Amino acid sequence: MSPLPTTVTDELWTAVLDGDDLRAGDVVLAALDDGVDAEAVLLDVIGAVQRRVGQEWAADRITVAQEHTATAINDRAVAVVGRRARVEPTGARVTVSCVDGEWHALPARLLAEVLRLRGFRVDYLGAQVPTPHLVEHLRRTAPDAVALSASIATRLPTAHAAILACRAAGVPVLAGGAAFGSDGRFARLLGAEGWAPDARTAADLLATGDLRPSGGQGQAVDDLPHLADQEYTLISRNTSRLVRTVYGGLEQRLPAMARYTDQQRRHTAEDIDHIVAFLVTALYTGDDELFPAFLAWTASILEARHVPPGVLDPALDLLGAELRDFPRASRLLAEAPRHATAPERDGQDG
Amino acid sequence: MPVTRNDLPVEGLDLTAQLAAAHAALRAERARSGLLEELSAALLGSLNVTRCAQITAELAATHLADAATVVLPASRGRHVTVSAVRGAQAVHAILTGDVDEVPGLEEALLGFPPVPSRWLDARSTPGWLLPAGMAPVGSVVVVPLPGHGTPAGALVLLRAVGSTAFDEDDERVARQFAGRAGLAVSAAQLHDRQSAITDTLMRELLPPCVGRLPGFDFAARYRASEDHERIGGDFYDVHPDEDPDGETLVVLGDVCGKGLDAAVLTGKIRNTLRALLPLAQNHLLVLSLLNTALLSTDSTRFATLALASVRRTPSGVHLRLTCGGHLPPLIVRADGTVEEAPTRGTLIGALPQVTASTAAVTLAPGDACLLYTDGITEAMGGPFGDEVFGEDRLTAVLGECGGMPAEALVERVQMLASDWIGVRDHDDMAVLAITAPRGRHLRAVGGHGRGRYTR
């Protein structure tokens, strides 16, 4: 097999950014014709381009519309590779599925194609699969394993429900995706039978046949006893009210908000919504690092858009006041770092 | 204190022996209850026939016998068997021999009362019934797996030469065990039959895969209001012409109501429209005939519809757009300008006459036409939980999507609407985009260019 010329990834990047799916198809076909391994084209070319898409968006060098376009073109490139390299399915049967609410399907799609190329019998269910659909599918097809994908940590409670359902159906779960943590700690916490940091490792693990159902009919509170304190339940059932209250409090604290454009108001409301969503997820998992990590990531996104990260600090204070009767939530909010910079948005954030 | 008679502790000995016997019987009974409990717990988690059979065979081979085989009722002339030897995983196979070669097996599969074990000659057990790794058979028990009204199969228990032979007590326990297993297998079989019927009926009602035709692209997304369902009251269809330079008819519609009833009506409407294709040059005629057809059915439901006839021309993609009571399609230009297509019309299936006006629109490369149902614009939610998504927000979103390929466009709209709703209840949502690809409309001439692939 030929080594991968670095220009292939650059050529695909250009095609993808232009929204030119025919050229993208040509690039991957040319790479296959030159002897590059199909798995390498998928993971080291298309996968690399997709990672770059995410990085460029975070750095505010491409818009979210461009990100969607790029993902769609990459998806077509995956289809081109899949059609070209056909393999007889003789191996174990694997269902590849994204957790309900998870839109980032490309990593799961790449895994599905890699598994097909390695001879697995693959059922690819796609993005945001409702848990009842997944269970219905498992009952009908009784696969040897489920590869469950989630990219954003706020999907973890839903992922847990899916894992519990798979356990009850007697099918082992291999968890993957950024939501489960760079070391897979959330996969372990939520009772998945396996975890992999990337598609190659996942495929290797599935090939060993070592993944066995752990059995039992557990509930969420069996894996996460702290849920019994109801903090997660009460706060997650009141997110809208919380967001409204914090937004109103911000308007009172920051007179400059009276001059905000509609777009700035929308972004402020969305930011508060995200903060609450990640706080709720942190309460669900009982993990102390999840919330500060989210805040740090948000700060970097805001900085790339020339918005001072301190803009969120008043929201954290207001949330802390609203949730003062909830010990775990209060602690997370109190321990979140604050910034010294001015707390107002100017007209520049996009 | 032992009871004495003539200073001899007569009943004392009996009492101790009786007590010991009672303890032993209690332990044995507890063990049996524990086994039945374990079996029930394992079977509750599954509605898959083979998995239930697997659980049954493995537990039976662990607690009741040296090996066990579940024989399922014949399907298409063949019996599936699931066998387990103690300590090993169950193995599936197709029965190769004849069931009447095993005394008691045919009776069990037909639902007759079980034949007592002592009547069955273990030495005449045919080889094909023995799982791999099973020692020569000393004792056999065959019990039916009773189901809901029809037998769910049979369970064959085998003990090796040298193991204690089955006695009446063992057979009683085996029948209790098989009773529970049979109910679970039967429920799974019922579920399978229902699923097969549903699949067949649903195939026609599922949204079609749309893709690429010479000169223009489609993409669509559908989300039913019941998240565990795949069908509902919204629908779309794409009918290409055999001639690549002819008109493709695209339909998007919304039947009032949701759920299965609404879905069945969408099937009828789609079928009627398919029959009316030869008249598609006249949208008003198509809508009028459909209206008459709907009025004549028992149903009091009405529908809203948007029709788009799509044709590639050297100067771009030409659209004829007609709404029947539906939200007008939105035209998204490559530079991000968003316009409403100037077409209006009345609902279908409500009044004796329908009226509608057709708009003619040309898409230049990079332009798009979006058809959608009000499940998108009426979606309730947002950060504050109480706002509708609204047409203004949709227009603003589309303004950022100038030049996007069809796939990306529908995904963006669907994603934002779904995120807006969050976990709340919602109506059926459908969105369909027709785009004129940028700079490529000459490459797919004749329909055989490299651009030709559908999903």
Side-chain angles (χ1 to χ4, degrees):
Chain A
M1 290 290 166
S2 300
L4 192 59
T6 48
T7 53
V8 176
T9 316
D10 290 334
E11 281 168 32
L12 182 61
W13 170 254
T14 314
V16 151
L17 217 50
D18 279 348
D20 190 342
D21 61 307
L22 278 185
R23 186 148 46 105
D26 288 346
V27 169
V28 296
L29 285 173
L32 290 171
D33 287 340
D34 282 344
V36 181
D37 183 38
E39 189 169 296
V41 173
L42 288 172
L43 300 180
D44 304 324
V45 179
I46 299 174
V49 166
Q50 192 63 21
R51 279 189 291 280
R52 192 166 159 186
V53 166
Q55 286 156 5
E56 294 293 292
W57 174 81
D60 203 30
R61 284 192 285 268
I62 64 173
T63 65
V64 77
Q66 284 175 301
E67 189 202 358
H68 270 266
T69 301
T71 305
I73 304 301
N74 258 342
D75 197 60
R76 290 196 186 162
V78 173
V80 168
V81 175
R83 263 194 305 275
R84 176 61 103 66
R86 288 228 173 278
V87 175
E88 261 315 297
T90 52
R93 189 160 190 177
V94 179
T95 297
V96 180
S97 173
C98 291
V99 162
D100 194 1
E102 182 57 73
W103 288 92
H104 299 84
L106 198 67
R109 178 92 200 266
L110 287 170
L111 175 65
E113 288 303 327
V114 165
L115 291 175
R116 275 193 191 118
L117 287 173
R118 292 197 188 193
F120 287 87
R121 280 176 297 157
V122 180
D123 297 311
Y124 173 62
L125 301 184
Q128 40 150 38
V129 177
T131 304
H133 275 182
L134 176 61
V135 171
E136 180 68 32
H137 176 85
L138 297 183
R139 284 190 177 151
R140 304 252 222 95
T141 59
D144 298 297
V146 171
L148 197 65
S149 174
S151 301
I152 313 271
T154 45
R155 311 287 171 235
L156 287 174
T158 315
H160 195 200
I163 293 169
L164 288 167
C166 293
R167 204 187 291 166
V171 181
V173 173
L174 173 61
F180 294 104
S182 55
D183 55 358
R185 65 188 186 277
F186 296 120
R188 274 189 295 285
L189 182 70
L190 303 181
E193 283 84 355
W195 169 78
D198 56 60
R200 279 189 177 97
T201 316
D204 290 343
L205 183 54
L206 287 165
T208 61
D210 285 343
L211 218 57
R212 289 254 174 278
S214 47
Q217 309 267 336
Q219 297 174 47
V221 72
D222 298 326
D223 291 330
L224 307 169
H226 54 263
L227 289 177
D229 71 7
Q230 302 301 307
E231 276 197 51
Y232 163 75
T233 309
L234 291 167
I235 296 176
S236 70
R237 296 194 65 189
N238 283 290
T239 37
S240 298
R241 193 188 57 77
L242 264 176
V243 172
R244 269 204 302 276
T245 309
V246 170
Y247 186 88
L250 277 180
E251 279 185 312
Q252 287 183 347
R253 265 202 200 187
L254 308 174
M257 271 180 75
R259 296 188 301 273
Y260 273 14
T261 62
D262 278 346
Q263 193 187 51
Q264 286 173 303
R265 283 177 202 285
R266 262 205 315 272
H267 285 174
T268 306
E270 282 165 14
D271 287 343
I272 302 169
D273 198 33
H274 289 152
I275 293 173
V276 174
F278 272 86
L279 179 67
V280 159
T281 309
L283 290 171
Y284 188 84
T285 57
D287 183 272
D288 284 343
E289 288 166 41
L290 198 150
F291 191 59
F294 156 72
L295 291 173
W297 177 82
T298 306
S300 70
I301 299 293
L302 289 173
E303 274 188 76
R305 287 150 179 76
H306 311 292
V307 179
V311 90
L312 298 176
D313 290 354
L316 294 174
D317 293 336
L318 284 162
L319 259 180
E322 278 302 304
L323 300 175
R324 60 186 169 277
D325 294 332
F326 296 86
R328 287 196 293 131
S330 295
R331 186 172 55 79
L332 285 173
L333 288 163
E335 288 174 6
R338 306 296 199 267
H339 304 83
T341 49
E344 289 167 13
R345 299 187 116 94
D346 59 23
Q348 287 167 353
D349 70 274
Chain B
M1 193 78 159
V3 171
T4 58
R5 192 191 292 149
N6 304 330
D7 286 339
L8 290 168
V10 170
E11 279 126 342
L13 279 169
D14 281 350
L15 267 180
T16 312
Q18 280 174 40
L19 193 60
H23 276 297
L26 181 62
R27 269 196 304 276
E29 198 51 48
R30 277 199 182 135
R32 272 174 225 131
S33 296
L35 172 61
L36 292 177
E37 177 68 41
E38 190 184 344
L39 175 68
S40 288
L43 289 173
L44 269 175
S46 180
L47 266 180
N48 179 284
V49 175
T50 357
R51 181 131 179 76
C52 287
Q54 200 177 314
I55 293 167
T56 305
E58 284 173 8
L59 275 177
T62 308
H63 297 285
L64 300 177
D66 296 320
T69 297
V70 171
V71 182
L72 294 171
S75 164
R76 289 191 282 259
R78 303 186 310 175
H79 292 273
V80 169
T81 64
V82 180
S83 313
V85 173
R86 181 178 312 140
Q89 265 206 309
V91 171
H92 308 157
I94 305 287
L95 200 137
T96 47
D98 219 334
V99 291
D100 54 18
E101 288 176 42
V102 180
L105 181 55
E106 196 175 17
E107 289 86 340
L109 288 169
L110 289 170
F112 286 109
V115 176
S117 174
R118 62 186 179 282
W119 292 10
L120 303 176
D121 183 2
R123 289 164 301 177
S124 64
T125 314
W128 50 259
L129 189 63
L130 303 180
M134 172 65 190
V137 176
S139 176
V140 182
V141 161
V142 180
V143 284
L145 293 174
H148 299 279
T150 47
L155 177 65
V156 179
L157 300 173
L158 304 162
R159 282 188 186 168
V161 169
S163 298
T164 336
F166 291 106
D167 61 22
E168 270 180 31
D169 222 24
D170 291 330
E171 289 180 59
R172 185 178 56 83
V173 174
R175 278 199 301 280
Q176 284 179 319
F177 184 89
R180 294 201 185 191
L183 286 176
V185 170
S186 182
Q189 286 163 341
L190 183 63
H191 185 257
D192 266 1
R193 283 195 291 276
Q194 296 289 79
S195 294
I197 294 171
T198 312
D199 276 353
T200 306
L201 293 176
M202 279 250 285
R203 218 167 285 140
E204 284 303 303
L205 298 178
L206 285 172
C209 284
V210 290
R212 170 167 305 177
L213 291 169
F216 41 86
D217 280 353
F218 299 101
R221 283 279 191 280
Y222 183 83
R223 186 169 167 193
S225 64
E226 298 296 321
D227 282 335
H228 53 275
E229 297 290 356
R230 287 177 286 163
I231 54 175
D234 286 359
F235 64 96
Y236 54 82
D237 241 335
V238 176
H239 301 285
D241 194 344
E242 277 163 17
D243 175 7
D245 291 319
E247 276 193 332
T248 295
L249 182 67
V250 177
V251 182
L252 181 126
D254 184 351
V255 165
C256 87
K258 18 188 199 191
L260 193 57
D261 285 337
V264 169
L265 186 57
T266 72
K268 291 183 181 172
I269 294 176
R270 286 167 71 186
N271 284 341
T272 309
L273 283 169
R274 203 169 286 130
L276 294 172
L277 280 177
L279 306 172
Q281 343 63 298
N282 185 338
H283 285 181
L284 181 57
L285 182 58
V286 168
L287 293 176
S288 298
L289 291 171
L290 180 62
N291 186 57
T292 310
L294 274 184
L295 286 172
S296 69
T297 65
D298 290 337
S299 172
T300 52
R301 292 178 190 266
F302 54 86
T304 64
L305 219 58
L307 298 176
S309 287
V310 190
R311 186 164 53 92
R312 65 174 186 178
T313 71
S315 57
V317 175
H318 189 68
L319 304 173
R320 291 187 306 113
L321 302 167
T322 309
C323 280
H326 199 82
L327 297 159
L330 293 173
I331 310 298
V332 184
R333 301 292 178 188
D335 64 359
T337 325
V338 180
E339 309 150 3
E340 218 178 63
T343 158
R344 297 285 182 276
T346 51
L347 295 172
I348 313 298
L351 298 169
Q353 300 274 28
V354 295
T355 56
S357 61
T358 300
V361 170
T362 302
L363 298 180
D367 291 348
C369 174
L370 195 82
L371 282 69
Y372 59 99
T373 59
D374 63 8
I376 301 274
T377 40
E378 310 275 290
M380 178 72 81
F384 299 150
D386 57 1
E387 287 176 80
V388 285
F389 193 77
E391 288 171 43
D392 289 344
R393 200 177 321 266
L394 178 61
T395 306
V397 164
L398 293 173
E400 295 164 2
C401 297
M404 275 173 89
E407 273 300 325
L409 188 55
V410 295
E411 190 184 74
R412 181 114 186 96
V413 171
Q414 175 77 306
M415 188 188 94
L416 289 176
S418 291
D419 281 353
W420 190 259
I421 290 166
V423 296
R424 300 170 195 87
D425 285 340
H426 62 92
D427 220 343
D428 298 316
M429 295 172 7
V431 56
L432 185 151
I434 306 163
T435 58
R438 288 181 295 182
R440 277 190 287 107
H441 52 280
L442 294 178
R443 285 226 225 156
V445 165
H448 301 297
R450 274 171 304 161
R452 194 95 235 202
Y453 41 98
T454 49
R455 273 164 35 92

